[in-house]
Amino acid sequence: MYKVDAIARRILGWKLNRWDKWFDFEKGIFIHEHEFQPEHNLDHAMLIVERLKEYGFTYTNKGASEVCFNDVTGTGETLAQAITNAAYSIIEQGSEAMTSRLWSKLC
């Protein structure tokens, strides 16, 4: 859950409302953890792709289980898992992969 929570909060900009749900200020809705499963649902993973594109990342699909966002690569058993892993790698690498402008948008 930590990986998904970090993505929801730092990339999608959702605020933690309770231990099991976030609030999306852009849409004005609550999202429960069972409603956002990017490792298992490609539509949810594509929300991450679209947001990272807005922040200037280039998305490259390198097959059914590998993707890149600029120079950050993620792999997984499925495409959705690869996207989620790459997004989390961006968060982990922080200072190199994200500019201060991007961090100000995310936090």
Side-chain angles (χ1 to χ4, degrees), residues 13 17 25 29 31 37 39 45 52 73 98 104:
N17 181 263
F25 282 98
I29 59 171
I31 299 103
Q37 298 292 319
E39 290 183 297
L52 287 173
T73 301
M98 294 185 168
S104 68

PDB file of all heavy atoms in Angstrom, residues 13 17 25 29 31 37 39 45 52 73 98 104:
ATOM      1  N   GLY A  13      -1.492  14.028  -6.631  1.00  0.00           N
ATOM      2  CA  GLY A  13      -1.844  15.193  -5.828  1.00  0.00           C
ATOM      3  C   GLY A  13      -3.032  14.990  -4.909  1.00  0.00           C
ATOM      4  O   GLY A  13      -3.595  15.951  -4.400  1.00  0.00           O
ATOM      5  N   ASN A  17      -7.179  11.402   3.303  1.00  0.00           N
ATOM      6  CA  ASN A  17      -8.319  11.801   4.107  1.00  0.00           C
ATOM      7  C   ASN A  17      -8.455  10.911   5.339  1.00  0.00           C
ATOM      8  O   ASN A  17      -8.732  11.394   6.423  1.00  0.00           O
ATOM      9  CB  ASN A  17      -9.595  11.748   3.271  1.00  0.00           C
ATOM     10  CG  ASN A  17     -10.808  12.174   4.040  1.00  0.00           C
ATOM     11  OD1 ASN A  17     -11.534  11.334   4.552  1.00  0.00           O
ATOM     12  ND2 ASN A  17     -11.026  13.474   4.143  1.00  0.00           N
ATOM     13  N   PHE A  25      -8.860  16.895  -4.958  1.00  0.00           N
ATOM     14  CA  PHE A  25      -9.376  18.259  -4.949  1.00  0.00           C
ATOM     15  C   PHE A  25      -9.791  18.732  -6.334  1.00  0.00           C
ATOM     16  O   PHE A  25     -10.723  19.521  -6.466  1.00  0.00           O
ATOM     17  CB  PHE A  25      -8.337  19.225  -4.365  1.00  0.00           C
ATOM     18  CG  PHE A  25      -8.271  19.183  -2.875  1.00  0.00           C
ATOM     19  CD1 PHE A  25      -7.301  18.424  -2.240  1.00  0.00           C
ATOM     20  CD2 PHE A  25      -9.184  19.872  -2.105  1.00  0.00           C
ATOM     21  CE1 PHE A  25      -7.237  18.366  -0.850  1.00  0.00           C
ATOM     22  CE2 PHE A  25      -9.136  19.823  -0.723  1.00  0.00           C
ATOM     23  CZ  PHE A  25      -8.161  19.067  -0.100  1.00  0.00           C
ATOM     24  N   ILE A  29     -13.775  14.644  -5.229  1.00  0.00           N
ATOM     25  CA  ILE A  29     -14.300  13.329  -4.868  1.00  0.00           C
ATOM     26  C   ILE A  29     -13.337  12.591  -3.941  1.00  0.00           C
ATOM     27  O   ILE A  29     -12.143  12.872  -3.916  1.00  0.00           O
ATOM     28  CB  ILE A  29     -14.572  12.451  -6.106  1.00  0.00           C
ATOM     29  CG1 ILE A  29     -13.289  12.239  -6.921  1.00  0.00           C
ATOM     30  CG2 ILE A  29     -15.677  13.038  -6.956  1.00  0.00           C
ATOM     31  CD1 ILE A  29     -13.414  11.218  -8.039  1.00  0.00           C
ATOM     32  N   ILE A  31     -11.603   8.961  -3.011  1.00  0.00           N
ATOM     33  CA  ILE A  31     -11.195   7.736  -3.674  1.00  0.00           C
ATOM     34  C   ILE A  31     -10.761   6.754  -2.589  1.00  0.00           C
ATOM     35  O   ILE A  31      -9.805   7.022  -1.859  1.00  0.00           O
ATOM     36  CB  ILE A  31     -10.044   7.954  -4.667  1.00  0.00           C
ATOM     37  CG1 ILE A  31     -10.458   8.925  -5.777  1.00  0.00           C
ATOM     38  CG2 ILE A  31      -9.597   6.638  -5.286  1.00  0.00           C
ATOM     39  CD1 ILE A  31      -9.919  10.285  -5.612  1.00  0.00           C
ATOM     40  N   GLN A  37      -6.255   0.908  -7.850  1.00  0.00           N
ATOM     41  CA  GLN A  37      -5.328  -0.224  -7.808  1.00  0.00           C
ATOM     42  C   GLN A  37      -4.478  -0.223  -9.086  1.00  0.00           C
ATOM     43  O   GLN A  37      -4.668  -1.049  -9.977  1.00  0.00           O
ATOM     44  CB  GLN A  37      -6.102  -1.539  -7.685  1.00  0.00           C
ATOM     45  CG  GLN A  37      -6.920  -1.664  -6.426  1.00  0.00           C
ATOM     46  CD  GLN A  37      -6.051  -1.768  -5.194  1.00  0.00           C
ATOM     47  OE1 GLN A  37      -5.036  -2.453  -5.198  1.00  0.00           O
ATOM     48  NE2 GLN A  37      -6.424  -1.072  -4.144  1.00  0.00           N
ATOM     49  N   GLU A  39      -1.527  -1.164  -9.833  1.00  0.00           N
ATOM     50  CA  GLU A  39      -0.719  -2.347 -10.137  1.00  0.00           C
ATOM     51  C   GLU A  39      -1.540  -3.449 -10.796  1.00  0.00           C
ATOM     52  O   GLU A  39      -0.983  -4.306 -11.473  1.00  0.00           O
ATOM     53  CB  GLU A  39      -0.075  -2.897  -8.865  1.00  0.00           C
ATOM     54  CG  GLU A  39       1.009  -2.003  -8.319  1.00  0.00           C
ATOM     55  CD  GLU A  39       1.677  -2.617  -7.111  1.00  0.00           C
ATOM     56  OE1 GLU A  39       0.986  -2.813  -6.093  1.00  0.00           O
ATOM     57  OE2 GLU A  39       2.882  -2.895  -7.203  1.00  0.00           O
ATOM     58  N   ALA A  45      -3.490   2.742 -13.908  1.00  0.00           N
ATOM     59  CA  ALA A  45      -2.082   3.023 -14.207  1.00  0.00           C
ATOM     60  C   ALA A  45      -1.962   4.133 -15.256  1.00  0.00           C
ATOM     61  O   ALA A  45      -1.054   4.968 -15.184  1.00  0.00           O
ATOM     62  CB  ALA A  45      -1.386   1.760 -14.687  1.00  0.00           C
ATOM     63  N   LEU A  52       1.984  12.231 -15.318  1.00  0.00           N
ATOM     64  CA  LEU A  52       3.422  12.427 -15.525  1.00  0.00           C
ATOM     65  C   LEU A  52       3.701  13.112 -16.853  1.00  0.00           C
ATOM     66  O   LEU A  52       4.630  13.919 -16.957  1.00  0.00           O
ATOM     67  CB  LEU A  52       4.167  11.092 -15.415  1.00  0.00           C
ATOM     68  CG  LEU A  52       4.287  10.551 -13.991  1.00  0.00           C
ATOM     69  CD1 LEU A  52       4.881   9.146 -13.990  1.00  0.00           C
ATOM     70  CD2 LEU A  52       5.108  11.484 -13.116  1.00  0.00           C
ATOM     71  N   THR A  73      13.204   3.614 -15.723  1.00  0.00           N
ATOM     72  CA  THR A  73      12.591   2.409 -16.273  1.00  0.00           C
ATOM     73  C   THR A  73      11.906   1.620 -15.166  1.00  0.00           C
ATOM     74  O   THR A  73      12.386   1.567 -14.040  1.00  0.00           O
ATOM     75  CB  THR A  73      13.664   1.516 -16.924  1.00  0.00           C
ATOM     76  OG1 THR A  73      14.298   2.270 -17.955  1.00  0.00           O
ATOM     77  CG2 THR A  73      13.057   0.274 -17.535  1.00  0.00           C
ATOM     78  N   MET A  98      13.080  14.563 -10.613  1.00  0.00           N
ATOM     79  CA  MET A  98      12.087  15.630 -10.544  1.00  0.00           C
ATOM     80  C   MET A  98      12.749  16.970 -10.284  1.00  0.00           C
ATOM     81  O   MET A  98      13.647  17.071  -9.477  1.00  0.00           O
ATOM     82  CB  MET A  98      11.087  15.350  -9.423  1.00  0.00           C
ATOM     83  CG  MET A  98      10.247  14.156  -9.643  1.00  0.00           C
ATOM     84  SD  MET A  98       9.037  14.038  -8.334  1.00  0.00           S
ATOM     85  CE  MET A  98       7.973  12.811  -8.997  1.00  0.00           C
ATOM     86  N   SER A 104       7.078  21.179  -6.383  1.00  0.00           N
ATOM     87  CA  SER A 104       6.136  22.159  -5.842  1.00  0.00           C
ATOM     88  C   SER A 104       4.715  21.872  -6.306  1.00  0.00           C
ATOM     89  O   SER A 104       3.754  22.130  -5.597  1.00  0.00           O
ATOM     90  CB  SER A 104       6.549  23.578  -6.220  1.00  0.00           C
ATOM     91  OG  SER A 104       6.418  23.788  -7.604  1.00  0.00           O
TER      92      SER A 104
END
